[in-house]
Amino acid sequence: MLEKLNILLSDLVVEYHKLQNFHWYVKGSDFFTAHAKLEELYNYINEAIDEVAENILMLNGKPAGSLKEFLELSHIQEVDDRYHSSHEIYKIVIEDFQYLLDS
């Protein structure tokens, strides 16, 4: 169980940074709407990160803590630091959130 929780923690941390990257690099006519929504999403994920880590600690486990470990454990892939359209971003975010729900 602790191993699965650390994978979930890692997936959430990578998704958090991915959403923050998208927040910085979104472009298009709906920039302000997408920019605000992405901030809302990464703040939501940040709360989930804390909850999962605290649950690992309550189970006498050790939450993953380094970026290297998060990247090794995560099934969510990072994105390049380049501009993306909101359409492209939403497609990727929906896929990532579906993976998180399924796992």
Side-chain angles (χ1 to χ4, degrees), residues 38-52:
L38 290 163
E39 184 173 358
E40 177 186 329
L41 291 173
Y42 73 69
N43 285 333
Y44 173 78
I45 293 291
N46 190 45
E47 290 179 26
I49 290 167
D50 194 49
E51 289 179 25
V52 172

Side-chain angles (χ1 to χ4, degrees), residues 12-46:
L12 290 168
V13 168
V14 173
E15 185 66 21
Y16 172 85
H17 286 283
K18 190 174 191 176
L19 289 165
Q20 196 170 52
N21 185 313
F22 283 149
H23 173 76
W24 293 334
Y25 286 100
V26 65
K27 70 174 183 174
S29 60
D30 62 342
F31 168 83
F32 292 105
T33 304
H35 189 74
K37 177 51 85 176
L38 290 163
E39 184 173 358
E40 177 186 329
L41 291 173
Y42 73 69
N43 285 333
Y44 173 78
I45 293 291
N46 190 45

Side-chain angles (χ1 to χ4, degrees), residues 72-86:
E72 287 172 356
L73 292 173
S74 179
H75 296 114
I76 291 181
Q77 299 297 308
E78 292 183 288
V79 291
D80 295 335
D81 56 346
R82 65 175 178 83
Y83 289 101
H84 300 269
S85 70
S86 60

